[in-house]
Amino acid sequence: MKALRDTWLVYSRAMKLNLKQPVWLVVMLIQPLYFLIFFAPLLNGLDGAPGFESGAMETFVPGLIIMMALFGSTFVGFGLIAELRAGVIERMRVTPVSRAALLIGRTLATVTTTLIQALLLVVLAAPIGGLTIYWPGVFLMFGIIILTSFMLGALSYGVAIVLKSEDTLAPVLNTFVQPIMLLSGIMLPMALAPQWLQNVADFNPFYYAVEAARSLFEGDMGANAIWQAAAYIGALAIVLVWWATRKFARAVA
C-alpha cells in the first residue's frame, strides 16, 4: 500500500507540473496536426494501393499516433535533468518515498498526457481528414499506446539520470529514435519498401506497434501484429522499467 501511495504522490506532482505548463502538451499535439493537414492530403490518391487497402487516412493516422507517443515519451528525460540541476532529486534522498515510485509515478504521468494527446488527435482527424473511426479498435489501440509510452518514458528517465546532461541526452536519444521511426512504417506502410528493408523492419518492435494500431483502426481484432506488439513492447517495458528503477534507486540512495 505504501508503494501505491508513494506512486500516487509522485504521479500527482508530475501531473500538476504538466498542468502548470500546458505549452508542452500543445506543442506535442501541433506537430502531428501539421502532418495531418499538410502531408495526409498527398496520400488521398493512394486509397486501395498496397498498404492502403483500408484507406489513406485510416492507414496514416494510427502511424501518426504512434509517432506522437514515440517522440512525446522519449524526450521527457529533459525535465528530470532540470530537476537534478535544481536539487529536487537530491532532496528526495531524505524522504521515505519508495524509490520505484519516483520512476513509475513520473512515467504514469507521461502515459496520461500521451493518451490525452492521442485522443485529441483521433477526434480532430475525423473532421479534418475525414477519418472513419472504429471506436472499439481505437480504445484497444490505446493499450498499445500505454505500453509504448510507459516503456519509452522509463527509458528516457533512466538514460537522463545516467547522463545528467541535456547536451548528451539529445544526440543519444536522436541516434536511436530516428532509425526506429523510419523502420516502423509510421509515415508510409513498410509494404511499399524494398524487401530487404522489410526484413530489417521485422526486428523493430515499433513496426509491430504501428501495424497493430492500423489493424485495430480497421476493426481487424484477430491480426497477428496485435499480439506481437503486445508481447514485444510489453517485454521491453518490463526490462526497461526494471533497469530504470535500479538507476533511480542508486541515484537517490
Side-chain angles (χ1 to χ4, degrees), residues 226-251:
I226 297 173
W227 70 261
Q228 290 170 334
Y232 298 148
I233 301 294
L236 278 173
I238 292 172
V239 172
L240 290 174
V241 169
W242 171 80
W243 171 79
T245 300
R246 292 191 62 186
K247 296 302 178 184
F248 257 79
R250 290 180 181 178

Side-chain angles (χ1 to χ4, degrees), residues 21-196:
Q21 296 180 333
V23 174
W24 174 252
L25 300 177
V26 175
V27 168
M28 291 308 300
L29 182 61
I30 285 177
Q31 185 181 25
L33 285 176
Y34 285 155
F35 282 102
L36 184 64
I37 296 170
F38 300 126
F39 182 79
L42 302 177
L43 306 176
N44 288 336
L46 295 176
D47 284 350
F52 291 93
E53 291 83 1
S54 61
M57 290 301 296
E58 287 74 16
T59 300
F60 181 65
V61 171
L64 202 58
I65 292 173
I66 297 295
M67 184 183 75
M68 187 168 60
L70 179 64
F71 281 95
S73 303
T74 301
F75 294 96
V76 293
F78 286 96
L80 179 64
I81 293 176
E83 290 191 348
L84 283 167
R85 186 173 293 111
V88 174
I89 303 300
E90 183 71 24
R91 290 194 292 273
M92 287 182 176
R93 289 183 176 183
V94 299
T95 67
V97 66
S98 166
R99 295 337 189 199
L102 293 175
L103 170 71
I104 295 175
R106 283 180 170 83
T107 307
L108 287 175
T110 298
V111 171
T112 301
T113 55
T114 302
L115 283 176
I116 293 172
Q117 291 167 333
L119 179 59
L120 289 173
L121 183 60
V122 171
V123 171
L124 292 173
I128 292 175
L131 175 69
T132 300
I133 302 175
Y134 179 69
W135 284 109
V138 169
F139 286 123
L140 286 176
M141 183 200 65
F142 286 163
I144 303 295
I145 299 298
I146 290 171
L147 284 176
T148 301
S149 182
F150 198 84
M151 176 193 70
L152 293 173
L155 173 64
S156 182
Y157 286 129
V159 174
I161 209 160
V162 171
L163 298 179
K164 299 180 177 66
S165 168
E166 295 95 335
D167 294 336
T168 307
L169 181 64
V172 167
L173 292 178
N174 275 316
T175 299
F176 290 97
V177 169
Q178 291 297 333
I180 285 173
M181 184 190 74
L182 294 172
L183 289 172
S184 64
I186 282 176
M187 303 302 296
L188 295 171
M190 292 305 295
L192 301 175
Q195 187 59 49
W196 69 268

Side-chain angles (χ1 to χ4, degrees), residues 182-211:
L182 294 172
L183 289 172
S184 64
I186 282 176
M187 303 302 296
L188 295 171
M190 292 305 295
L192 301 175
Q195 187 59 49
W196 69 268
L197 203 56
Q198 295 182 35
N199 294 337
V200 175
D202 288 340
F203 295 94
N204 180 6
F206 293 94
Y207 162 71
Y208 299 100
V210 173
E211 291 299 306

